[in-house]
Amino acid sequence: MKLDDSLSPSPERISDVQIFLGNEVYDFLEQKDYSSQWSNLYETCPWATVFQGLEFFEMFHEVYKQQYQPLLVVYFVDDKLKALLPLSFETSNGRITGAGVNDAHYHAWICSEEIGSCFFKKAVEELRVQFPLSSIRMEQLPVGIPLGWLGAVENFDGVKFTTSVRPLVNLKDPSIDKLARKKDFKSNNNRLKKCGDFEVEFIKDQEKFDQALETLILQSDFRKGAFYGLFPFHKNPYRSILYKEMFRKKMMFGLVLKLDGEILAGITGTIGKDGWCHGSGLNCHSPLFDYYSPGFLSFIHLIQHLENEGYETLDLSTGMLDYKKRIANHYDEVYELFIPAVDQAIISKKKTGLKDKLKERIWAFLEKKPHLDFEREELRAKFKLYHKQRDYFNLIHFYQTGKPYLKIEKYVSCSEAEKLLGESYSKNSLKELLMYRPKHESLTKREFLLDAFSRFKSGEVCYSQSKNGKLLGCLWCKIADEKTVEITSCCPSFIKGVRKTLQIGAHANPEKVKVIMPKSVEKYLS
């Protein structure tokens, strides 16, 4: 891929750039005063964000040193650093991404505006020569970054350049005072105060941050697992290490809402340059308090705190979610660039064949079934799970009804079921629910968590057990109906334990409690 310098409006031509990978980067930074030159370049570059700073670059690659190598493209004039492009090279597959990958809100190169386009075009050209099998991705290029290079790349096969709306909160705008006067903010704030000792804490202590982060990670993975099938911290344990290190270096903030000392919601974000705060690294709340919209409350309290501290802008990041529309008072656009490897662009054209077309028709047919109201990836996971278990009976039942499995009801003797269960089982443990692994059950992990989320929202109480990092089972008690419990996940030992527990005390005050469970486990409760 040859980039055309003639398309650049820059009066200066760049003859050559240098590329450093891995330990070469650190060797380069130890020479002369290149580290301080990087810092000076970062401070004077008008579009640079905190994620292009040397401190973040070194911190990220230290934490992720097993997965990513530092990659640096630089341009000199008489040993003076004029421009640099900080990148991350993924060791396992050779992909090239802006430094920080998904943990950096923005990717960019830093230099003077006069050579911005010319330098980036030359950098990409050299990267394509030295890494012909590597794709290049730059996510969320910030506002103000030069785009004179765009015409040279956008017409090539596979190249994608997209724009996204970015909602912002201008903290100097007088209109933000209206947020605290919103009816739902005031009413939910007052309701929580009536529930117990409600407090808002802006965390300043490292130990408190580390403890709060563990709770927020569980809440975040639970919610994202239920709604999107994503587990950002479970799949990437290095992210929490990076967050702790960023907080230690005064690059990250944390705010939590507490009720009787327990965290019910929280936000973390990055402290940027020029009065900016980039949020949110984490924005989550406990599903047990979903009724009070604690996530929205967290943002209003955060805005009030940042305004008092003298910050100018809160960056809500891309994605036009409802809560962002309610908070934002300003919008602009950021950009994303993807340049495929040479072979990658050729292969993508030959990807679809007869088998793929047949599969497409089958999925299109299934998606038209009104009772199969699932996203395609969830349907795929569902059928794959049934096939793996050879559970064709429930597969047919799911195809016909859209329900995960046949349920049966059985009555057992019981006295004070909830009190007895509370003695032997964990109550409302998000940590144990996230340990769910479908084996005999007909629920995918996302289905299971989404079902749990809706049950928490309706006020049900969960009792669960786990062993060696695996969920043994969970049982739900309906507050509105004390005579009904429902099992949504279990193994034989869990069922037998529940049976034994529910029969304790039956001789003293015999009752009949209805137990709802998958038909496949009925034999264990007989």
Side-chain angles (χ1 to χ4, degrees):
M1 176 178 171
K2 179 70 176 175
L3 303 180
D4 185 6
D5 281 345
S6 65
L7 293 176
S8 173
S10 170
E12 183 174 348
R13 293 291 178 264
I14 292 179
S15 58
D16 194 20
V17 295
Q18 294 186 42
I19 295 179
F20 301 98
L21 176 64
N23 289 331
E24 295 175 353
V25 173
Y26 301 116
D27 293 340
F28 161 72
L29 292 173
E30 289 177 359
Q31 299 175 30
K32 300 184 180 179
D33 59 344
Y34 290 137
S35 293
S36 60
Q37 287 189 44
W38 181 334
S39 299
N40 292 336
L41 206 57
Y42 160 74
E43 292 295 341
T44 57
C45 181
W47 61 82
T49 71
V50 65
F51 305 102
Q52 284 72 60
L54 176 59
E55 189 173 22
F56 178 82
F57 181 82
E58 291 182 329
M59 188 189 308
F60 174 85
H61 290 103
E62 176 60 28
V63 172
Y64 284 91
K65 58 187 175 184
Q66 300 298 327
Q67 289 77 32
Y68 296 98
Q69 296 183 63
L71 179 61
L72 202 59
V73 185
V74 297
Y75 170 59
F76 300 100
V77 175
D78 298 330
D79 285 336
K80 294 294 183 182
L81 192 59
K82 291 291 186 178
L84 65 88
L85 170 59
L87 301 165
S88 295
F89 181 87
E90 193 166 354
T91 308
S92 61
N93 52 37
R95 284 194 292 241
I96 297 173
T97 316
V101 197
N102 295 326
D103 289 318
H105 289 277
Y106 299 97
H107 299 155
W109 54 99
I110 54 178
C111 58
S112 63
E113 194 166 359
E114 291 75 19
I115 63 171
S117 292
C118 192
F119 165 71
F120 184 64
K121 288 190 294 180
K122 191 66 179 178
V124 171
E125 182 182 83
E126 194 63 31
L127 286 169
R128 298 279 287 182
V129 170
Q130 295 196 29
F131 304 95
L133 301 180
S134 297
S135 61
I136 303 171
R137 182 182 294 278
M138 301 288 288
E139 295 183 355
Q140 296 203 174
L141 300 171
V143 172
I145 200 166
L147 297 177
W149 47 268
L150 183 57
V153 302
E154 63 181 354
N155 293 324
F156 285 81
D157 289 336
V159 172
K160 296 179 182 178
F161 181 81
T162 56
T163 61
S164 300
V165 176
R166 177 176 65 169
L168 304 168
V169 179
N170 180 356
L171 299 171
K172 299 300 182 182
D173 191 325
S175 66
I176 65 168
D177 293 336
K178 296 178 182 178
L179 292 173
R181 296 198 296 269
K182 283 182 176 287
K183 183 178 179 181
D184 49 354
F185 171 74
K186 293 172 69 175
S187 59
N188 285 326
N189 229 32
N190 291 332
R191 288 190 188 111
L192 284 170
K193 288 178 180 178
K194 292 177 182 177
C195 292
D197 182 16
F198 175 65
E199 61 176 318
V200 180
E201 180 182 359
F202 196 85
I203 303 174
K204 297 181 179 180
D205 179 72
Q206 181 73 50
E207 185 177 351
K208 286 186 177 181
F209 179 84
D210 293 350
Q211 292 172 353
L213 187 63
E214 297 303 315
T215 301
L216 296 179
I217 284 172
L218 291 175
Q219 294 177 358
S220 175
D221 275 6
F222 184 86
R223 185 178 184 86
K224 290 186 177 179
F227 287 97
Y228 311 112
L230 301 174
F231 305 92
F233 287 89
H234 177 74
K235 296 291 185 183
N236 179 12
Y238 295 99
R239 181 167 290 167
S240 61
I241 300 173
L242 179 66
Y243 281 14
K244 291 174 184 179
E245 188 64 18
M246 289 177 69
F247 186 87
R248 189 177 71 83
K249 295 285 185 70
K250 311 296 183 186
M251 296 174 65
M252 179 163 278
F253 63 82
L255 178 141
V256 293
L257 306 187
K258 290 183 175 181
L259 187 65
D260 295 330
E262 297 293 325
I263 295 175
L264 60 91
I267 300 175
T268 68
T270 308
I271 300 172
K273 60 181 292 194
D274 302 329
W276 279 63
C277 276
H278 305 283
S280 56
L282 267 173
N283 167 31
C284 52
H285 63 267
S286 169
L288 280 71
F289 297 92
D290 193 68
Y291 172 76
Y292 301 98
S293 300
F296 177 70
L297 297 184
S298 300
F299 266 106
I300 305 302
H301 285 295
L302 174 63
I303 288 169
Q304 291 177 328
H305 176 82
L306 294 178
E307 182 188 17
N308 293 335
E309 291 292 315
Y311 288 94
E312 296 183 4
T313 306
L314 173 61
D315 174 12
L316 299 177
S317 73
T318 55
M320 294 301 292
L321 300 176
D322 288 340
Y323 78 88
K324 295 183 181 181
K325 294 177 183 177
R326 295 169 67 188
I327 296 171
N329 57 15
H330 183 67
Y331 299 88
D332 60 15
E333 287 186 338
V334 293
Y335 318 101
E336 181 175 345
L337 173 68
F338 174 74
I339 304 173
V342 177
D343 292 344
Q344 201 174 339
I346 297 172
I347 291 170
S348 63
K349 287 185 174 181
K350 301 179 179 178
K351 200 163 148 184
T352 54
L354 185 61
K355 188 176 178 181
D356 295 311
K357 290 180 180 178
L358 181 60
K359 283 183 179 179
E360 184 65 32
R361 289 192 178 186
I362 292 173
W363 288 119
F365 170 75
L366 291 172
E367 287 171 339
K368 288 180 181 178
K369 297 285 184 181
H371 57 273
L372 296 179
D373 186 20
F374 297 85
E375 295 177 10
R376 181 171 297 193
E377 285 304 313
E378 187 61 22
L379 270 178
R380 195 189 306 274
K382 193 72 179 166
F383 286 124
K384 186 177 180 180
L385 177 62
Y386 281 127
H387 180 68
K388 183 179 179 181
Q389 297 174 349
R390 301 293 190 269
D391 188 2
Y392 300 115
F393 181 79
N394 267 325
L395 172 59
I396 294 170
H397 176 74
F398 174 72
Y399 171 73
Q400 292 176 340
T401 66
K403 297 178 180 178
Y405 48 69
L406 285 171
K407 292 183 180 180
I408 60 102
E409 299 177 358
K410 194 169 186 68
Y411 288 84
V412 298
S413 298
C414 173
S415 176
E416 299 178 322
E418 191 171 344
K419 180 180 178 181
L420 294 170
L421 289 166
E423 295 175 356
S424 308
Y425 300 83
S426 301
K427 183 178 180 181
N428 293 337
S429 173
L430 301 187
K431 183 177 182 179
E432 289 195 339
L433 293 179
L434 281 166
M435 295 177 186
Y436 173 81
R437 301 289 184 274
K439 187 175 182 182
H440 305 293
E441 298 89 342
S442 299
L443 291 170
T444 63
K445 187 167 184 176
R446 181 180 176 186
E447 276 183 308
F448 173 77
L449 293 177
L450 190 58
D451 175 72
F453 190 92
S454 64
R455 290 175 183 275
F456 279 133
K457 196 171 181 178
S458 63
E460 294 187 38
V461 179
C462 176
Y463 294 94
S464 59
Q465 279 185 336
S466 64
K467 185 178 181 181
N468 298 329
K470 293 183 180 179
L471 179 68
L472 296 180
C474 68
L475 179 149
W476 297 87
C477 289
K478 300 181 179 180
I479 301 300
D481 183 2
E482 296 179 357
K483 299 294 183 67
T484 302
V485 295
E486 183 167 352
I487 296 168
T488 56
S489 171
C490 61
C491 64
S493 62
F494 179 80
I495 286 286
K496 291 173 182 177
V498 168
R499 179 176 181 269
K500 183 179 178 181
T501 302
L502 291 179
Q503 288 181 335
I504 295 175
H507 60 279
N509 184 17
E511 296 176 344
K512 288 290 185 180
V513 170
K514 182 171 67 174
V515 180
I516 306 171
M517 73 198 91
K519 185 173 177 59
S520 58
V521 299
E522 178 185 14
K523 58 184 177 182
Y524 298 116
L525 204 58
S526 59

